[in-house]
Amino acid sequence: MTASHDSNFAAYEAQRFRSKWMNLIMRNLTWAFAYFSIIITVGITLILVAESFFFFDKLAKQGVSWTQIFTATEWTPLFEPPKFGVIVVIMGTLMTTVIAMIVALPVGLMSAIFLSEYAPPKLRAVLKPILEILAGVPTVVYGFFALLVITPILQRIIPGGDSVIAGLNALSAGFVMGIMIIPLVASLSEDAIYAVPNLLREGSYALGATKFETTVSVVIPSALSGIVSAFILAVSRGVGETMIVSLAAGQSPILNFNPLDSVMTITAFIVQVSLGDTPTNSLAFYTIFFAGFVLFLMTLILNILADWFVRRYRLMY
Amino acid sequence: MTVDIVPSEVNFRSNYDRRKLATNIFMGVAFFATIFGLFFLGLLLYDVFTKGLPYFNWRFVTTFPSRNPTDAGILSALVGSIWLMFLIPFFAFPLGIGAAIYMEEYADRDLWRNRILEINISNLAGVPSIIYGLLGLELYVRILEPLTKGRTLLAGALTLATLVLPVVIVSSREAIRAVPRDIREAAYAVGCTRWQAIWYHVLPMAFAGILTGTILALSRAIGETAPLITLGALTFIAFLPPWPVTTAVNEEGVVIVEKVSAGLGSFIQALQTPFTALPIQIFNWASRPQAEFHAVSAAGIIVLLLLLVAMNSVAILLRALFQQRK
């Protein structure tokens, strides 16, 4: 062993030592970054729970019974006497969501079937990215579209016009929300349909089935868990959508099942209060956190359900 | 015996035509469903451009909002959105890409705590954006007020960064996962540590994918309205942050302050300035009753869409650029 060998070895050792330390540091740093997402979840949950607690506390101090939250059929947190029948805004949310689903689910599923089963590769390569542009349009633009394009069209189409269909209504907001959700349903359903192995299709053709029969009785049932999960995620998206309903569905917290009338959703309520001059620590201020908590629970349950569906009913090929 | 075969052959043929027709009808319906969304996209763009183009000019982009629709411009909202565009990645990209590296390269995916991590991130991606607004209002506006000074650019950027974090993580993970195993194994074989393999081999190869995914996530954040409204971003702003160029106008639209400053102090001040952003300004104009403001709103939408198209083009361009090198 010469001296130069020794010094080379020492330099190697030193560098090896530094590399190992660097690895350890980065391992722990990236670990911290990854677990930061847990902090966000805990943060959201803590904030919503704590502020909802303050909300109930304020209610008690004002002598308002908290049970009316489940029984009252009026939602007037900003007026005297305040009423907190949360069912009113939940129904408003469900109504716009149901209208959106009537549009988005069949259209999205049929688009997925067309793209994966029928479209020639070249057409698919053109249509798919264009369809994805729909998902990239900001929701405030869809709100503008619902309020200023679809509502006037509806007022012209529906007999009775302005007198039966309000300028702000659940139908046009829900319809446009449906258009916004189409790409979500289409892309998730297409993933599920695309994953069905060709062997199943070919087996069906071998028995003499046509393409339509194969699609309806072999491909869709095989992809059903993914499709159902896509549908549930679509509902969750509709429940949490904010800007379309704030612009086009209106601010009328009235229990009403006429889609041609204005409704208030949970999200539109939060926007309404946020835009006003509500003093912090007032009852109305805490009400948006309570409303947010209800919304969070609804979407959380839907998201867990979608996930469970995929895991539980996924077919193993 | 042969007599029996002929009718069934005829039967099959007639039956086949009907079943074939069902296939064609089904295909037609599916095709129209695919076109359905595109039709409304076309209608949307047509309406926005016919309403907004008369208002869309250089003056509109360089003046402040006004109570008078013919004077109204989008300057403060555009500058606010550009600030957010540079601030959001500053928080979201290191955190998101770091998390993706941990989950793809370091984490033992069979451990229960890492499985919970995965479930948690996919759940976060499904939380409505307005809930992030409530988080921002409480955490960044109220609890971190000494740092953010309330409803400011910094609070807005932090809120939107939190919102896109799960998307950044998911898209970065996909890009990292697409790098073949062999690359890592070759690096280990010549004595690389795990981090050296990631830094010198995996990340450069995944770079194009990560960049594309993260820019797309960013363009989603720029279009978000609800969380900023919940946060309490203002709808009428007649001044620019004090860095690098400050301007402010009074109620008549006359410029009252104008100066250029490049110091660090004014940069920090800028972060702590109340702000507005393109989607908020669009929402504000669209929700007014006057039709003139609807046209101004459409012009604002044109600006927003141009910004988004520019960002998407950059993403596509970068991907093409980096893919050529491989």
Side-chain angles (χ1 to χ4, degrees):
Chain A
M1 281 265 183
T2 62
S4 95
H5 271 111
D6 280 351
S7 71
N8 275 349
F9 187 69
Y12 168 78
E13 278 287 85
Q15 209 222 323
R16 188 77 197 145
F17 184 74
R18 280 200 305 273
S19 314
K20 278 190 166 172
W21 266 104
M22 188 65 188
N23 184 46
L24 203 65
I25 290 168
M26 291 319 290
R27 188 195 161 93
N28 285 305
L29 190 66
T30 55
W31 174 87
F33 286 177
Y35 276 83
F36 186 74
S37 66
I38 301 269
I39 298 177
I40 295 173
T41 309
V42 172
I44 290 175
T45 317
L46 265 184
I47 285 168
L48 292 178
V49 169
E51 304 284 314
S52 299
F53 174 78
F54 289 133
F55 166 73
F56 282 103
D57 190 50
K58 282 242 173 219
L59 275 190
K61 276 191 188 130
Q62 294 199 356
V64 184
S65 158
W66 64 272
T67 51
Q68 64 130 305
I69 285 167
F70 306 102
T71 55
T73 52
E74 280 172 84
W75 174 265
T76 54
L78 306 180
F79 304 126
E80 285 299 326
K83 290 264 170 57
F84 298 93
V86 74
I87 192 78
V88 177
V89 279
I90 290 180
M91 287 315 293
T93 303
L94 290 183
M95 185 141 95
T96 51
T97 305
V98 165
I99 296 168
M101 291 311 116
I102 291 173
V103 176
L105 302 188
V107 175
L109 179 60
M110 290 302 273
S111 305
I113 290 170
F114 181 77
L115 288 174
S116 74
E117 301 292 301
Y118 293 94
K122 273 186 186 162
L123 186 63
R124 180 174 190 267
V126 176
L127 283 181
K128 229 189 151 188
I130 303 181
L131 203 62
E132 271 157 15
I133 294 177
L134 276 178
V137 174
T139 52
V140 68
V141 178
Y142 279 116
F144 174 93
F145 184 61
L147 177 68
L148 299 170
V149 184
I150 297 301
T151 298
I153 290 177
L154 289 177
Q155 283 174 335
R156 217 174 294 165
I157 293 174
I158 293 175
D162 302 10
S163 55
V164 292
I165 179 158
L168 301 168
N169 61 80
L171 182 61
S172 92
F175 180 80
V176 172
M177 199 205 289
I179 292 172
M180 179 200 85
I181 295 174
I182 288 171
L184 173 93
V185 179
S187 132
L188 292 177
S189 307
E190 207 216 342
D191 288 346
I193 291 172
Y194 199 78
V196 175
N198 254 335
L199 273 176
L200 292 184
R201 292 186 186 85
E202 282 154 10
S204 169
Y205 296 145
L207 289 173
T210 62
K211 196 143 198 179
F212 167 66
E213 290 156 354
T214 305
T215 306
V216 170
S217 44
V218 175
V219 176
I220 292 182
S222 307
L224 201 62
S225 69
I227 293 171
V228 170
S229 142
F231 282 13
I232 298 172
L233 286 178
V235 174
S236 165
R237 175 76 67 88
V239 166
E241 208 298 311
T242 309
M243 295 323 294
I244 302 174
V245 289
S246 295
L247 269 168
Q251 314 272 330
S252 311
I254 300 159
L255 206 54
N256 183 348
F257 298 96
N258 180 0
L260 302 180
D261 278 341
S262 168
V263 295
M264 181 186 260
T265 64
I266 300 175
T267 51
F269 170 73
I270 297 175
V271 166
Q272 186 197 28
V273 174
S274 303
L275 284 174
D277 321 303
T278 315
T280 46
N281 301 327
S282 67
L283 183 57
F285 179 78
Y286 289 114
T287 312
I288 63 174
F289 285 95
F290 170 68
F293 188 44
V294 172
L295 177 68
F296 181 67
L297 281 185
M298 286 168 77
T299 54
L300 187 68
I301 291 167
L302 286 167
N303 293 346
I304 291 172
L305 200 66
D307 191 59
W308 178 80
F309 236 96
V310 165
R311 278 167 209 276
R312 173 72 180 74
Y313 291 104
R314 183 165 33 201
L315 291 176
M316 290 295 168
Y317 305 115
Chain B
M1 289 303 268
T2 49
V3 187
D4 288 328
I5 295 167
V6 177
S8 78
E9 170 79 5
V10 169
N11 201 17
F12 170 76
R13 276 290 145 208
S14 68
N15 185 315
Y16 178 76
D17 286 343
R18 213 190 64 236
R19 292 162 57 210
K20 186 77 191 160
L21 185 69
T23 295
N24 287 336
I25 291 174
F26 188 67
M27 190 174 100
V29 171
F31 177 71
F32 276 107
T34 317
I35 299 296
F36 182 82
L38 306 185
F39 168 75
F40 283 98
L41 180 66
L43 186 63
L44 189 160
L45 291 177
Y46 171 78
D47 189 76
V48 163
F49 277 88
T50 48
K51 276 196 184 118
L53 270 184
Y55 269 87
F56 179 71
N57 53 36
W58 187 244
R59 189 206 60 79
F60 176 71
V61 182
T62 51
T63 50
F64 286 100
S66 162
R67 273 178 296 181
N68 183 356
T70 49
D71 295 337
I74 203 153
L75 181 64
S76 46
L78 182 61
V79 170
S81 276
I82 291 173
W83 267 94
L84 290 174
M85 214 171 92
F86 285 99
L87 288 176
I88 296 165
F90 190 77
F91 303 110
F93 288 5
L95 269 175
I97 297 169
I101 290 174
Y102 178 78
M103 293 173 75
E104 283 301 315
E105 301 290 328
Y106 287 116
D108 174 0
R109 251 176 268 168
D110 292 331
L111 278 181
W112 65 271
R113 52 172 190 270
N114 291 329
R115 278 212 308 274
I116 287 193
L117 192 62
E118 294 204 9
I119 294 167
N120 178 55
I121 285 168
S122 65
N123 257 324
L124 269 183
V127 172
S129 60
I130 196 166
I131 300 287
Y132 284 95
L134 292 175
L135 172 78
L137 174 62
E138 187 60 35
L139 185 61
Y140 302 134
V141 173
R142 304 225 301 159
I143 296 174
L144 293 180
E145 209 204 328
L147 191 71
T148 60
K149 298 283 182 289
R151 301 151 189 244
T152 58
L153 265 177
L154 184 58
L158 286 169
T159 304
L160 291 181
T162 317
L163 167 74
V164 290
L165 190 60
V167 188
V168 173
I169 296 176
V170 169
S171 61
S172 303
R173 280 187 71 185
E174 274 164 18
I176 292 171
R177 200 178 310 147
V179 176
R181 272 239 82 75
D182 318 19
I183 302 288
R184 299 174 181 81
E185 279 157 11
Y188 300 147
V190 294
C192 280
T193 60
R194 210 159 254 244
W195 175 251
Q196 283 171 326
I198 295 166
W199 184 249
Y200 292 107
H201 302 287
V202 175
L203 281 186
M205 282 193 79
F207 191 63
I210 292 178
L211 215 56
T212 316
T214 47
I215 292 177
L216 292 181
L218 184 61
S219 75
R220 212 193 103 187
I222 292 302
E224 281 289 353
T225 324
L228 294 182
I229 288 180
T230 314
L231 195 74
L234 298 179
T235 49
F236 182 84
I237 294 269
F239 55 84
L240 297 185
W243 188 93
V245 184
T246 323
T247 325
V249 298
N250 64 11
E251 285 192 13
E252 278 78 43
V254 181
V255 176
I256 45 173
V257 185
E258 200 162 9
K259 75 173 201 270
V260 178
S261 57
L264 183 66
S266 59
F267 178 77
I268 291 171
Q269 251 187 358
L271 294 181
Q272 299 170 334
T273 313
F275 71 107
T276 188
L278 286 174
I280 295 181
Q281 197 68 66
I282 292 164
F283 169 73
N284 179 261
W285 283 328
S287 55
R288 293 187 193 200
Q290 304 94 321
E292 292 90 350
F293 273 117
H294 298 161
V296 179
S297 184
I301 291 176
I302 295 177
V303 176
L304 179 61
L305 291 181
L306 287 180
L307 187 67
L308 293 179
V309 167
M311 290 170 77
N312 283 287
S313 316
V314 167
I316 293 166
L317 214 72
L318 284 172
R319 182 164 54 185
L321 209 72
F322 282 101
Q323 270 172 350
Q324 271 172 4
R325 265 180 38 191
K326 266 188 229 167

